Amino acid sequence: MTSIPNSILTLVAGILLTVVSLWYGYNNGLMPVAASVEATHVDALFNAMMAIATGLFIIVQGVIVYSAIMFRRKKGDDTDGPAIEGNVPLEIFWTAIPAAIVLWISIYSFEIYGEMGGFDPSAANDMHAMHGGKNSAMAAEMPGMDMKAMEGMTASGIGASPASQGKEAAVNVNVTGLQYAWIFNYPNTNITAGELHVPVNQEVKLTLKANDVIHALWIPQLRLKQDTIPGEITQLRFTSNKVGTYPIRCAELCGGYHGSMVTNMIVETQENYDTWVASQIQPAETTGSAVMQSTLASIESMNPATMPTHEYLAPYAHEMGVRTEMLAKLVRDQQAKNHIHLDS
Amino acid sequence: MTANISLPPVAEQSSPSHGHGERRWQDYFTFNTDHKVIGIQYMVMSFFFYLVGGLLAEGIRTELATPDPDLVDPALYNSMFTMHATIMIFLWIVPAGTGAFANYLIPLMIGARDMAFPKLNAVAFWMLPPAGVMLIGSFYFGTAQAGWTSYPPLSLTTGKVGEAIWIFSLLLGGTSSILGGINFMTTILKMRVPSMGMMQMPLFCWAMIATSALILIATPILAGALILLSFDLLAGTAFFNPTGGGHPVVYQHMFWFYSHPAVYIMVLPFFGIISEVIPIHSRKPIFGYGAIAYSSLAISFLGLIVWAHHMFTSGTPAWLRMFFMITTMIIAVPTGIKVFGWLATMWGGKISLNSPMLFAMGFLSTFVVGGISGVMLAAVPFDIHVHDTYFVVAHLHYVLFGGSVFGIFTGIYHWYPKAIGRMYSEFWGRVHFVMTFVGFNVTFLPMHILGLQGMPRRIAMYAPEFQTLNQVCTWGSYLLAVSTVPFLVNALWCWFKGEKAPDNPWNALTFEWMTSSPPEIENFEVLPVLTTGPYDYGVEEEEHLATIAS
């Protein structure tokens, strides 16, 4: 009676494995701050997948290490192991379990994607708009954009969450990605800025386009990313629920200074947001915003593909993640290289 | 069913004056049609490019040791990672797997005297050195800088010469790959010894059927995409250029229609190698031969309908995102069948922890991590966060380094005694494994966290908060670089000075071990006859006799 039955050992190991997997899955702490409801949804999915991943990882690595220790060939033993060529029930078991797991993850992802607004019929899925036809509704949603350029286009991306479908977002922003900066235009107030200001707990809709090459707008704290594609309109809708300053990074390779295509999203209280809007609308020379606006507008109208990097890089120096001295050096390097590459 | 061709065509010998089993060293530098020469040519050439690609990787990691772009010009940095990926994929993993191992092993494993089309085989090989020379040479003219994915419009604006050279090199590599695929498929289906049915083939042959099918179906699409891209680049057309009415996302579809299957082209041969190595060094039959054979075909088929999971944040509609999420998830099932089959093969066996087995177990350990992160990446909401970040960089290296490169080393150690005729040094093989395994995990494990935390891939400059983890990665990559030294010394030293290898040092049952080490020019003095299954370890002697009698 001194030995514990195998079935009990297996049961204890199973319970331990489950506890450890669940604990690590839900306490992994690998994600940055979640600053929106959508981000919380994504984290729930991620944590569930991490729990499953931890369990699988421990089982597989455990079997490898256990085999390496317990089933090592003894010195001088040149005989073969047992001739087991398979076991159909076992094979069915390890086909069915992974199948069930991936099916469950698929359904869960489907649900989360819906919660995030991925199935918003006015956005991601609009086959009618995709095939041209009547775009008046869509065009009305995107004031300030070049109407002609939008004809026959659909906006793919993340649309409104089920709760706010069919409603206008509280804040609309047109985003332009260009080498190597983001430009944010608020069509209702005609503010143009290099940083994205949004009020907390209000739904925001970004309408994205690109002037030169493909970029991708990524806000890690919102768990949202969307490519901006030349000749196509894409969109993102979200509601951030935490005041703070979060980085916006370009995630799609867009050229030599791709890594410097960084700016900030400032989520602020409604009052602070209103103050910011008011400060931007004032045509006061002292703030320099008018100068800034005209600079940005002229830059946006240029075709950067035909220009060397350093010419349109300068206005954004203060908003880039690169120090000013470093930028100066980079531009010098670029100029030196121009003799070799661009002129040839 | 038996093969139609009972006597395979005799290989042309470039040196007919030499007798059986004699091979001049000069043959390795000529247009030789012996599949074994070509296999070794592939292996040595691709290993050279591994060192070149590795050097580029060390440059990249050194640049990333600090947040500022202070080592190289950012444009050159982009060239470096573009070339790193291109070389590692098209000149190292693909030629090593489908060129070196498939060429060397298939005829030996099925009892053939050479490949079905020996001249085509040599042509396929000799397309690669010019492709590689052009790629490396393009550093002089201004290399392609748009990543190995080369998405337009960026790829159309970063320098014509480099991009054109890149396109042409890939077309050469792709053509070489297609010629190889035709050869492997034909050889396996038509040139087995009459006694070997499909279900008696070594599993490596099954893996190569699946690989060749993917090559033949998918590679022409890449060629199409690249030719259209070259028109946009050189002739001013607008297939993918939005300013002329083209659509850049169409290129992405065409590119990934090949390049996702390419992942399986790069890993299926190593699934085959692992299926050979684990039973032999565990002294047990493979667990579930049929399941492992057919799951290769399932992976091959499913691999063709998952490509758009690389485009979840692109301009793709929701239904498309959902469809490709589900197909991608399902591909985990046949992959899981293989992994569990290998684990069950080891379970209860008599395992020798020699170099090939250590690398095979390392393969299992790291590939599973890549497989798990792959399933996570398939989930659209999560992928939207981590797409184009270091999480993906970590994932792909766990699959292509932890999977393919560990598989290459498994195969090199396992068949070294056969191909070279001498034993490698077991001690240095183990040192090589430990350094590679530790270096690999130190380099790539932290990248998962970097990606989740917000570091995009393909950047030369990054936020200072990511520096600590990046430095860990950089130190790991230096260890990886050093780990090639014991391998190179071991492989080169033992090539000339190693202990002579017996014909069958592992007591294996497949045909390649039934001939001399190294095999004579036409492989077999007398064609072997199948008396056992490929993995009948521990099966009673009476059963062997019964098999022969039937």
Side-chain angles (χ1 to χ4, degrees), chain A residues 152-176:
Chain A
M153 281 174 192
T154 182
S156 51
I158 299 289
S161 62
S164 54
Q165 256 170 40
K167 291 181 209 150
E168 270 290 298
V171 179
N172 278 294
V173 187
N174 294 326
V175 184
T176 307

Side-chain angles (χ1 to χ4, degrees), chain B residues 16-333:
Chain B
S17 59
H18 287 262
H20 278 251
E22 277 185 54
R23 175 60 70 203
R24 297 177 311 156
W25 64 269
Q26 292 95 326
D27 293 347
Y28 293 97
F29 298 89
T30 59
F31 187 88
N32 194 290
T33 54
D34 182 343
H35 72 99
K36 299 185 294 298
V37 173
I38 295 174
I40 287 172
Q41 284 174 329
Y42 265 114
M43 191 72 246
V44 172
M45 179 210 68
S46 59
F47 196 85
F48 167 76
F49 285 115
Y50 173 57
L51 296 179
V52 174
L55 202 66
L56 289 168
E58 299 304 331
I60 291 166
R61 282 312 329 165
T62 307
E63 168 68 77
L64 292 176
T66 56
D68 289 327
D70 40 15
L71 180 73
V72 294
D73 179 87
L76 178 60
Y77 176 84
N78 287 10
S79 295
M80 282 164 64
F81 68 69
T82 302
M83 284 302 133
H84 164 72
T86 308
I87 287 173
M88 288 301 199
I89 292 167
F90 294 100
L91 293 166
W92 161 233
I93 297 178
V94 171
T98 65
F101 288 111
N103 260 308
Y104 197 93
L105 294 173
I106 288 173
L108 283 166
M109 281 180 164
I110 62 174
R113 297 204 183 275
D114 206 315
M115 298 287 282
F117 310 111
K119 266 192 186 145
L120 199 66
N121 206 11
V123 170
F125 169 75
W126 283 105
M127 285 182 156
L128 286 175
V133 168
M134 279 199 301
L135 274 179
I136 295 176
S138 74
F139 272 105
Y140 183 75
F141 305 102
T143 332
Q145 306 171 8
W148 84 280
T149 50
S150 202
Y151 281 3
L154 182 66
S155 54
L156 302 173
T157 62
T158 45
K160 264 188 187 168
V161 181
E163 187 65 24
I165 293 177
W166 182 87
I167 291 174
F168 195 60
S169 306
L170 253 64
L171 284 173
L172 268 181
T175 311
S176 156
S177 184
I178 293 173
L179 299 182
I182 294 170
N183 225 334
F184 304 137
M185 195 70 123
T186 317
T187 308
I188 296 171
L189 292 179
K190 288 292 176 195
M191 293 181 60
R192 301 188 307 278
V193 289
S195 50
M196 185 187 279
M198 295 287 278
M199 296 310 280
Q200 282 97 45
M201 286 195 311
L203 284 163
F204 180 74
C205 297
W206 274 107
M208 282 314 300
I209 287 180
T211 311
S212 306
L214 279 179
I215 291 174
L216 295 178
I217 295 169
T219 316
I221 311 297
L222 174 73
L226 292 176
I227 288 169
L228 294 182
L229 189 67
S230 73
F231 287 167
D232 275 12
L233 183 74
L234 303 171
T237 55
F239 291 105
F240 309 126
N241 196 343
T243 51
H247 208 310
V249 180
V250 175
Y251 172 85
Q252 298 179 14
H253 279 290
M254 293 179 78
F255 178 82
W256 287 114
F257 185 84
Y258 165 77
S259 294
H260 193 80
V263 175
Y264 298 103
I265 292 170
M266 284 186 275
V267 87
L268 274 168
F270 304 106
F271 286 174
I273 285 175
I274 298 298
S275 303
E276 299 300 324
V277 170
I278 286 186
I280 291 174
H281 298 289
S282 305
R283 310 309 306 164
K284 263 187 76 197
I286 190 90
F287 195 97
Y289 176 96
I292 290 182
Y294 289 130
S295 62
S296 289
L297 301 186
I299 290 172
S300 178
F301 171 72
L302 287 169
L304 287 166
I305 49 167
V306 299
W307 76 89
H309 68 217
H310 294 271
M311 303 165 57
F312 284 159
T313 68
S314 215
T316 43
W319 67 267
L320 196 138
R321 294 178 179 188
M322 292 300 115
F323 173 81
F324 283 98
M325 170 173 84
I326 291 165
T327 52
T328 308
M329 293 269 178
I330 294 172
I331 213 163
V333 177

Side-chain angles (χ1 to χ4, degrees), chain A residues 35-339:
Chain A
S36 71
V37 182
E38 289 85 357
T40 318
H41 286 314
V42 175
D43 287 4
L45 173 67
F46 174 66
N47 291 343
M49 291 196 298
M50 272 309 282
I52 297 168
T54 309
L56 257 173
F57 178 85
I58 294 174
I59 292 173
V60 173
Q61 310 295 350
V63 170
I64 294 172
V65 173
Y66 185 85
S67 303
I69 296 166
M70 301 302 288
F71 303 127
R72 221 175 143 177
R73 187 173 66 91
K74 310 270 179 309
K75 263 220 159 71
D77 178 5
D78 285 335
T79 58
D80 288 343
I84 305 160
E85 302 203 340
N87 180 331
V88 175
L90 196 59
E91 286 170 50
I92 291 173
F93 174 78
W94 70 49
T95 307
I97 297 291
I101 290 175
V102 295
L103 195 68
W104 181 80
I105 296 178
S106 298
I107 293 168
Y108 192 18
S109 304
F110 204 81
E111 208 178 286
I112 299 264
Y113 192 60
E115 287 290 322
M116 292 168 70
F119 300 116
D120 180 4
S122 77
N125 238 349
D126 197 346
M127 298 304 285
H128 180 69
M130 188 189 258
H131 295 298
K134 313 283 167 287
N135 277 320
S136 53
M138 216 177 84
E141 280 179 19
M142 299 176 200
M145 302 293 292
D146 181 4
M147 297 299 159
K148 221 167 152 190
M150 283 173 11
E151 248 172 84
M153 281 174 192
T154 182
S156 51
I158 299 289
S161 62
S164 54
Q165 256 170 40
K167 291 181 209 150
E168 270 290 298
V171 179
N172 278 294
V173 187
N174 294 326
V175 184
T176 307
L178 68 153
Q179 287 169 322
Y180 299 92
W182 295 106
I183 295 174
F184 301 96
N185 174 260
Y186 293 69
N188 296 330
T189 49
N190 209 25
I191 294 172
T192 300
E195 289 182 322
L196 176 62
H197 285 254
V198 296
V200 72
N201 292 327
Q202 295 283 342
E203 194 175 27
V204 179
K205 179 173 157 187
L206 308 181
T207 306
L208 306 141
K209 64 168 187 159
N211 271 4
D212 36 38
V213 299
I214 302 174
H215 305 273
L217 180 115
W218 181 29
I219 309 170
Q221 281 73 10
L222 298 181
R223 317 283 187 264
L224 284 182
K225 182 182 292 119
Q226 177 57 51
D227 287 9
T228 67
I229 301 163
E232 193 174 337
I233 303 294
T234 52
Q235 67 156 310
L236 279 179
R237 267 172 95 142
F238 60 87
T239 308
S240 48
N241 58 6
K242 263 201 183 73
V243 171
T245 302
Y246 309 112
I248 296 177
R249 300 197 172 100
C250 178
E252 180 65 58
L253 176 63
C254 61
Y257 296 88
H258 167 49
S260 69
M261 191 164 160
V262 181
T263 185
N264 285 318
M265 175 177 75
I266 295 130
V267 180
E268 48 202 350
T269 57
Q270 187 69 48
E271 303 88 77
N272 288 352
Y273 174 73
D274 292 340
T275 317
W276 175 78
V277 170
S279 77
Q280 295 293 304
I281 291 171
Q282 277 174 13
E285 287 85 46
T286 46
T287 63
S289 79
V291 179
M292 173 75 178
Q293 271 186 45
S294 66
T295 314
L296 288 172
S298 67
I299 282 161
E300 207 179 343
S301 65
M302 292 187 294
N303 181 6
T306 63
M307 297 172 57
T309 305
H310 59 278
E311 277 186 26
Y312 54 90
L313 200 62
Y316 309 106
H318 66 290
E319 282 169 3
M320 287 181 172
V322 185
R323 294 196 313 273
T324 325
E325 322 85 82
M326 182 52 63
L327 184 69
K329 176 187 177 297
L330 295 177
V331 170
R332 273 201 310 278
D333 291 352
Q334 184 69 24
Q335 280 166 335
K337 275 193 84 70
N338 287 342
H339 291 291

Side-chain angles (χ1 to χ4, degrees), chain B residues 320-355:
Chain B
L320 196 138
R321 294 178 179 188
M322 292 300 115
F323 173 81
F324 283 98
M325 170 173 84
I326 291 165
T327 52
T328 308
M329 293 269 178
I330 294 172
I331 213 163
V333 177
T335 315
I337 291 174
K338 282 183 188 293
V339 170
F340 293 126
W342 294 325
L343 291 177
T345 306
M346 295 194 316
W347 192 264
K350 297 186 175 178
I351 297 173
S352 309
L353 286 183
N354 49 24
S355 308

